[in-house]
Amino acid sequence: HAPSAADTAVIDTPTGPLISTSAANADKLFIGAGAIGVVTANGQSLNTNEATLGNSANASGTLTLNGANWTNTANAYIGNIGTGIVTLNGGAQATISGQTYLGASSGSSGDLSIDGGSIFSATGTFFIGYAGGATGSFSIVDGTANTQNASIADGVNASGNATIRGGSSTWTNTGTLTVGGGGVGTVT
């Protein structure tokens, strides 16, 4: 059945759900809990409390938003233990009210890319490569990112990079921006 706002949803299939006819809701969303998981949202809303992509060492989770809106009210782990990828296209909007982790644990990797005039907003700390040995990658090709506090390569031996390209792309961070807190971080 389709999950409700009180349910935990686990997507462990590369031919995962296509959200295209109505909004999708879940309390906790796992994409790639123990295998390859893929979710695509086309022009519809995805509403979650907490989201985890790539939750084990050999797992990967991919979320693609094509003109869709994703609202997450708590933490988002994009590459928790494995690999997590989130892509915003075609005017998509993603709003994370908790912490955002691109590469949360040692050996994990997380990637967030913004294109097509899409908008990403995070009110909690935005970590690009959090734990030691984690890798985070953040890129804006054509779009906007709004964050309050951000840390690139936070942990010892973590790596993180942020790339902003295109004349219309912007990243506004209103608080503290730390580059290379414990590892190697770059902004280009």
Side-chain angles (χ1 to χ4, degrees), residues 17-43:
L18 174 64
I19 304 167
S20 61
T21 58
S22 61
N25 305 283
D27 177 30
K28 293 183 179 180
L29 173 64
F30 292 89
I31 305 174
I36 297 172
V38 175
V39 173
T40 303
N42 293 337

Side-chain angles (χ1 to χ4, degrees), residues 29 31 41 44-53 63 65 68-73 75-78 86 88 92-96 100 112 119-121:
L29 173 64
I31 305 174
Q44 290 292 336
S45 296
L46 172 62
N47 304 298
T48 55
N49 180 40
E50 182 177 278
T52 303
L53 285 71
L63 172 62
L65 305 172
N69 295 334
W70 175 30
T71 301
N72 189 84
T73 56
N75 293 345
Y77 303 90
I78 301 170
V86 174
L88 280 63
Q93 296 188 37
T95 303
I96 311 298
T100 304
L112 171 63
I119 301 171
F120 170 77
S121 301

